[in-house]
Amino acid sequence: MHMEANHEEKRNAALKRALLILSCVLLSIGACGGPLIMRLYFIHGGKRVWLSSWLETGGWPIIFIPIALAYYHRRTTEGPSTKLFFMKLPLFIASAVIGLLTGIDDYLYAYGVARLPVSTASLITAAHLAFTALFAFLLVKQKFTSYSINCIFLLTIGAAVLGLNTSADRPKGESDKQYIAGFMMTLSAAALYGFVLPLVELTYKKAKQTITYALVLEVQLVMCLFATIFCTVGMLINNDFKVIPREARNFELGESKYYVVLVFSAIVWQGFFLGAIGIIFCASSLLSGIVIAVLLPVTEILAVIFYHEKFQAEKGVALALSLWGFVSYFYGERKYSKQKESEMKNEKEKEVEIGKKDTPETAEVSQLDP
């Protein structure tokens, strides 16, 4: 029985590692591709901020695919009595509230990307790591090691270095008022998302039901649904649905490519959110924030390649600092996990020794002793 339990623990740990890697891949695709596709829309004639914010979560029906696959797997192993959905009302309400906050964050970020180059928007977004660390400490009592503190410090310094020469990236013909508005909106989006990540982790911890990855997918589905509803109301008020056909005809890359950009934007952003909540489930909101921060300089390099934005020396330094911070964090986590495994092994050995001392034979010997 003991060996079977150990085998099950190792299997679960391996599955969780695989899920963490998959989540990191999805987050990488979303964090790098999302801003680039969104900026592509604005560069070539797109002007609808509410539409762009809607696309960040509008791909939520995609989540039905993994939910259906998970249900089919459970049905084959557990029989027809298995449930399709596990979410209870309190968790549904919490997910809906977080979804509305995500909708607000979508609009703030889309407004910023509409006014700022990808490199500058990425720079400001890097500030979300500091907010994530702060709220993770306040909401979920996140413990910091010297390695995680070093990582946060290096990534923050990297963001500051990027800020040394942002004036050269200011779009032509944009007023100071528009630039400042875009800057403040992007900073607000960074702060709000820094709050949302630990809030999701807190929701997992406070939920009065077992949190499985199938349930995490349901949480993501509800969050994206309510974020999309929020943005849909904004689109209706702003008459975006009426303008879309005309904007498509006037799009510089062509009408068909306009719709391709919108569809791919929705798919790629869904990868971002699925990756972020997957990392929170497998590890923590802080790690999710760190992965996003590490990917920001990568996004900048891609912006240089695809949109011919200038690659100053500051961007190279920021990239090196980000990679250093990322390696520092994972080295620390690996060291901590090894230490934890060693402590658990020692505890089990002690339990075995205590069990041997308490056997009937030992007890009889002790009774015969004068």
Side-chain angles (χ1 to χ4, degrees):
M1 287 290 287
H2 183 66
M3 287 180 70
E4 284 180 12
N6 281 342
H7 179 71
E8 189 66 23
E9 280 179 19
K10 285 180 180 178
R11 184 172 168 273
N12 289 338
L15 283 171
K16 211 162 190 178
R17 274 196 298 272
L19 187 57
L20 180 60
I21 292 167
L22 176 63
S23 297
C24 286
V25 171
L26 287 172
L27 183 57
S28 300
I29 294 168
C32 295
L36 292 171
I37 296 176
M38 185 182 283
R39 187 62 187 161
L40 181 71
Y41 165 78
F42 287 114
I43 286 172
H44 293 287
K47 299 184 187 306
R48 318 311 296 181
V49 174
W50 276 111
L51 171 60
S52 292
S53 59
W54 187 92
L55 290 170
E56 289 181 59
T57 51
W60 62 268
I62 294 169
I63 304 171
F64 277 118
I65 297 170
I67 287 176
L69 290 172
Y71 172 70
Y72 177 75
H73 175 72
R74 288 197 307 275
R75 193 177 171 86
T76 54
T77 54
E78 299 172 17
S81 59
T82 188
K83 291 180 180 178
L84 177 59
F85 294 105
F86 294 99
M87 186 179 286
K88 294 177 182 176
L89 186 60
L91 187 57
F92 176 85
I93 294 168
S95 302
V97 171
I98 296 171
L100 292 173
L101 290 174
T102 303
I104 297 168
D105 185 68
D106 289 346
Y107 177 76
L108 294 171
Y109 182 75
Y111 188 96
V113 173
R115 298 285 181 269
L116 305 173
V118 173
S119 55
T120 309
S122 296
L123 147 71
I124 302 164
T125 307
H128 94 279
L129 181 61
F131 292 111
T132 302
L134 173 64
F135 289 119
F137 175 74
L138 294 174
L139 294 177
V140 294
K141 304 294 184 270
Q142 173 73 47
K143 290 180 181 178
F144 294 99
T145 64
S146 57
Y147 295 99
S148 59
I149 292 168
N150 181 52
C151 177
I152 292 165
F153 175 75
L154 288 169
L155 291 172
T156 306
I157 293 294
V161 167
L162 280 173
L164 295 174
N165 199 16
T166 53
S167 58
D169 283 340
R170 186 175 301 193
K172 291 178 182 178
E174 189 161 288
S175 66
D176 289 341
K177 189 177 178 182
Q178 288 175 319
Y179 187 85
I180 291 166
F183 186 98
M184 293 308 296
M185 286 288 205
T186 311
L187 185 61
S188 301
L192 184 54
Y193 200 62
F195 174 68
V196 165
L197 287 177
L199 192 60
V200 171
E201 186 176 356
L202 180 67
T203 303
Y204 291 168
K205 289 187 175 183
K206 295 291 183 183
K208 293 178 180 178
Q209 56 183 122
T210 306
I211 300 295
T212 61
Y213 190 65
L215 186 58
V216 166
L217 290 172
E218 291 175 33
V219 169
Q220 179 63 17
L221 181 71
V222 174
M223 281 170 55
C224 287
L225 172 61
F226 276 84
T228 306
I229 290 169
F230 175 84
C231 294
T232 302
V233 172
M235 286 181 71
L236 289 168
I237 294 169
N238 205 41
N239 291 321
D240 279 14
F241 288 105
K242 293 179 181 178
V243 178
I244 286 171
R246 187 174 74 239
E247 190 174 72
R249 287 193 296 272
N250 297 328
F251 196 61
E252 291 174 9
L253 297 177
E255 188 174 352
S256 59
K257 286 183 180 177
Y258 174 86
Y259 292 108
V260 170
V261 168
L262 298 192
V263 170
F264 269 89
S265 183
I267 293 169
V268 170
W269 276 118
Q270 204 52 232
F272 172 88
F273 286 108
L274 280 171
I277 65 157
I279 292 173
I280 294 170
F281 170 71
C282 296
S284 68
S285 56
L286 180 62
L287 177 58
S288 188
I290 285 170
V291 173
I292 294 168
V294 165
L295 292 168
L296 292 173
V298 179
T299 307
E300 295 221 6
I301 291 170
L302 292 173
V304 169
I305 295 168
F306 293 111
Y307 300 145
H308 307 293
E309 293 183 5
K310 294 178 182 177
F311 188 83
Q312 298 96 341
E314 293 88 345
K315 293 180 182 179
V317 172
L319 178 60
L321 288 170
S322 295
L323 292 173
W324 181 11
F326 197 55
V327 170
S328 171
Y329 178 83
F330 272 101
Y331 175 76
E333 284 297 300
R334 184 68 183 156
K335 193 175 179 181
Y336 175 74
S337 63
K338 280 185 176 180
Q339 186 182 338
K340 203 172 180 182
E341 283 174 14
S342 178
E343 287 173 0
M344 286 175 70
K345 191 177 178 182
N346 290 336
E347 282 178 14
K348 283 180 181 178
E349 285 175 359
K350 284 179 182 178
E351 285 174 7
V352 170
E353 285 177 12
I354 291 166
K356 284 179 180 178
K357 286 178 182 178
D358 291 339
T359 55
E361 291 84 357
T362 311
E364 284 175 19
V365 171
S366 61
Q367 284 173 7
L368 289 168
D369 270 350

